[in-house]
Amino acid sequence: MKYVLVTGGVVSGLGKGVTASSIGVLLKACGLRVTSIKIDPYLNTDAGTMSPFEHGEVFVLDDGGEADLDLGNYERFLDIKLTRDNNITTGKIYRYVIDKERKGDYLGKTVQVVPHITDAIQEWIERVAKIPVDGEEGPADVCVIELGGTIGDIESMPFIEALGQFSYRVGPGNFCLVHVSLVPVLNVVGEQKTKPTQHSVRGLRGLGLTPNILACRSTKALEENVKAKLSQFCHVPTQNIVTLYDVSNIWHIPLLLKEQKAHEAISKVLNLDGIAKEPSLEEWTARANLCDNLHVPVRIAIVGKYTGLPDAYLSVLKALLHASVARRKKLIVDWVPACDLEKPSEKENPVAYKAAWKLLKGADGILVPGGFGDRGVEGKILAAKYARENRIPFLGICLGMQIAVIEFARSVLGLHDANSAEFVPDTKNPCIVFMPEGSRTHMGGTMRLGSRRTFFHVKDSKSAKLYGSKSFVDERHRHRYEVNPDMVGCLEMAGLSFTGKDETGKRMEVIEIPSHPFFVGAQFHPEYKSRPGKASPLFLGLIAASCGELDELLQSGSVHNHHQSLAGNRPLVDPKSVVYYNGAAKKPPNVLAGVRYNNGGYCNGLYTNRYTHE
Ligand code: GLN
């Protein structure tokens, strides 16, 4: 097993996750099998109890692991399926060591950070690296390990120490350290400054780690003299210094690495010459260029709670993007804060109220993603009502599906107080109820989590057809509440179709209004399994319906799990069509790939739009 460790220096939010995933893509393109591990030095056992406001979305794995969103980047870029153990946290490591201590496994010794914690980290890495994640048997050839945080953080010290020991243990030729750093340009002189990188490399060396490759984030390609300077001061050969300059979308990053021959540098460090073949990235090149040349817009309103932080809905955004690219459309996302749609905000903040409704009404399609807690729920219900009554394509995910059921019960069945027991525990008409297997006292890992099977009961429904008319599908879940089985009968009689159910037939998984152009809700989260080139069926349905192309899509019959070739015969796009962004015709700005913006604009290479209150 060969290991590539990716560390970050100078500042956080450099796009280390995207860089590490792109290195994985490049190595995979060289014919190697690749797996990955993300180390998060925080004390939480996993990301499950962390607020998306702080950390971005919680990514759910097949095995029910609730992980950092970077695992989503790895799964999407490498088309692999990771396990919960591929996300290491300080919490997990300490728990493991303390459990061992309680069992008496340390035989009376004093248990210490060095060697016990550091040994546990190394054992964990070696064990997890061997788990096959690409559907084939046997361990991968290369494991990419990303160390979260920035060099110098107190929290990451035990990991740095462990990784230093680990690199020595696996030996030269088996370990390659890529350090991602920042080369800023000072506006006054316009000069690329190397000092921050020099300092960060010095810090790394001081901790016992030697970088083999420098990946420098910068607005433009590094000047030759700047590379020479970095090489001299950081003791890294110039051919091992790559620039990750700003690109129009993140699919360019693996191409950027290939152009600068990063694969050759890594091959040399890892003794892969003769094993790694010349990388072919045609599919990535086609996709990156296609994405840049899409002009016909499709406008999707995301009605949510965390609309100020697009990372909170990263997989949803990516799934929308995959589907839009598959339909050759330019995705424009309008963020609609659910609370602003609510009646009280008309008085309290009329400008926000008006702006929110304007965005909702201007959208081609509406998406209500998953969520917890009652803030904004009434606004989401209003959005579902608007979509249902005005025949606007609608996709509700998890909570989004639950609120669609509540809305239907209120408006169509006339149960005005219908609600979820999550928000009004003693409601008279609970159409969403607590699931028997949940826990109200322990929040971590106690939901219905991970991959579960959904059986399609209504074969000629849009959702079943979108999934390729298969009898069942496995998707990932994360919920505590479900549709009240006692109310299913009345809802069905009133015209709400439950097209997908679990293996018992008692748990509702997919809803649909057959008479509506596209009104679909899923209790599962289809976004987690969407991939570039293999867009999620329900997202494809939403995008196609939003462009008036759903019939065409359903007739083509090749929706689910077929690789959506980029070389298809669909005409590309009309280059003359104009994208309206914030009300004005605008060219997309050049972006820092992977950088997280808090106030709309570009997010992870994605063109998004958020209204402001002024
Ligand atoms: N809060 C809801 C539940 O627990 C929905 C969860 C979600 O949207 N992920 O069932």
Side-chain angles (χ1 to χ4, degrees), residues 429-449:
N429 285 300
C431 40
I432 308 295
V433 292
F434 190 73
M435 281 187 297
E437 59 266 59
S439 165
R440 291 182 207 263
T441 49
H442 282 71
M443 289 303 167
T446 55
M447 283 185 261
R448 180 169 179 251
L449 285 164

Side-chain angles (χ1 to χ4, degrees), residues 369-373 397-400 402 422-423 432 435 447 478-482 523 525:
F372 296 84
I397 297 174
C398 206
L399 179 64
Q402 297 174 356
E422 181 179 4
F423 315 126
I432 308 295
M435 281 187 297
M447 283 185 261
R478 184 172 188 245
H479 64 129
R480 264 193 195 91
Y481 294 82
E482 62 173 328
Q523 186 59 77
H525 291 263

Side-chain angles (χ1 to χ4, degrees), residues 12 41 148-158 160 207:
S12 60
T150 308
I151 290 303
D153 293 348
I154 290 176
E155 284 189 322
S156 51
M157 290 303 176
I160 301 268
L207 296 166

Side-chain angles (χ1 to χ4, degrees), residues 388-596:
R388 186 180 55 77
E389 291 179 347
N390 295 282
R391 302 175 65 74
I392 310 292
F394 173 89
L395 178 61
I397 297 174
C398 206
L399 179 64
M401 176 252 214
Q402 297 174 356
I403 59 96
V405 174
I406 298 173
E407 193 284 314
F408 194 89
R410 287 187 190 175
S411 305
V412 183
L413 288 181
L415 304 171
H416 299 299
D417 57 353
N419 217 319
S420 163
E422 181 179 4
F423 315 126
V424 183
D426 54 356
T427 173
K428 292 231 167 46
N429 285 300
C431 40
I432 308 295
V433 292
F434 190 73
M435 281 187 297
E437 59 266 59
S439 165
R440 291 182 207 263
T441 49
H442 282 71
M443 289 303 167
T446 55
M447 283 185 261
R448 180 169 179 251
L449 285 164
S451 183
R452 307 290 172 113
R453 194 151 283 185
T454 292
F455 293 86
F456 287 105
H457 288 252
V458 187
K459 300 280 177 235
D460 63 348
S461 60
K462 295 181 187 89
S463 42
K465 284 188 192 156
L466 282 167
Y467 274 104
S469 299
K470 289 188 177 162
S471 54
F472 65 83
V473 65
D474 294 326
E475 291 278 16
R476 297 178 184 174
H477 294 71
R478 184 172 188 245
H479 64 129
R480 264 193 195 91
Y481 294 82
E482 62 173 328
V483 176
N484 185 350
D486 295 341
M487 286 178 77
V488 167
C490 338
L491 288 161
E492 240 164 0
M493 295 238 286
L496 187 63
S497 179
F498 292 89
T499 58
K501 300 180 186 175
D502 78 342
E503 64 283 354
T504 66
K506 296 220 170 72
R507 184 158 285 155
M508 302 303 124
E509 290 281 4
V510 188
I511 61 159
E512 204 174 305
I513 299 178
S515 56
H516 188 286
F518 188 83
F519 193 99
V520 175
Q523 186 59 77
F524 50 76
H525 291 263
E527 68 271 27
Y528 293 133
K529 283 172 78 171
S530 185
R531 302 277 188 271
K534 281 188 215 162
S536 162
L538 296 187
F539 281 85
L540 266 179
L542 174 70
I543 295 293
S546 302
C547 310
E549 297 174 357
L550 185 63
D551 288 343
E552 184 193 323
L553 173 69
L554 292 178
Q555 271 154 26
S556 72
S558 61
V559 190
H560 186 44
N561 264 348
H562 289 278
H563 196 75
Q564 291 136 13
S565 167
L566 293 169
N569 46 13
R570 173 181 291 275
L572 267 178
V573 281
D574 173 14
K576 284 189 269 2
S577 58
V578 182
V579 179
Y580 283 91
Y581 174 68
N582 262 349
K586 248 192 186 176
K587 225 173 118 47
N590 216 16
V591 291
L592 292 170
V595 167
R596 292 166 193 174

Side-chain angles (χ1 to χ4, degrees), residues 150-284:
T150 308
I151 290 303
D153 293 348
I154 290 176
E155 284 189 322
S156 51
M157 290 303 176
F159 290 102
I160 301 268
E161 175 59 29
L163 288 161
Q165 291 182 16
F166 190 70
S167 71
Y168 176 69
R169 193 162 104 194
V170 297
N174 293 319
F175 191 88
C176 174
L177 172 49
V178 180
H179 187 57
V180 185
S181 176
L182 178 73
V183 176
V185 173
L186 289 192
N187 279 343
V188 211
V189 272
E191 198 187 331
Q192 294 176 324
K193 305 303 260 179
T194 61
K195 199 69 86 188
T197 303
Q198 291 181 39
H199 278 297
S200 137
V201 169
R202 198 169 300 152
L204 199 58
R205 284 184 189 283
L207 296 166
L209 285 172
T210 307
N212 301 104
I213 292 172
L214 289 182
C216 301
R217 288 297 322 276
S218 184
T219 45
K220 296 213 177 77
L222 289 192
E223 321 242 338
E224 280 313 312
N225 65 324
V226 175
K227 263 194 189 178
K229 199 167 167 187
L230 278 172
S231 168
Q232 189 184 2
F233 285 104
C234 302
H235 313 173
V236 172
T238 47
Q239 64 272 23
N240 288 16
I241 302 178
V242 292
T243 331
L244 301 177
Y245 52 85
D246 295 358
V247 285
S248 48
N249 70 66
I250 55 169
W251 294 329
H252 281 290
I253 308 284
L255 310 177
L256 217 55
L257 288 169
K258 184 191 163 197
E259 266 163 38
Q260 297 176 57
K261 303 200 183 327
H263 54 289
E264 289 180 10
I266 297 173
S267 286
K268 221 179 226 156
V269 178
L270 293 179
N271 284 339
L272 288 169
D273 288 344
I275 301 169
K277 57 179 201 322
E278 190 56 27
S280 72
L281 284 169
E282 282 94 31
E283 190 81 16
W284 284 79

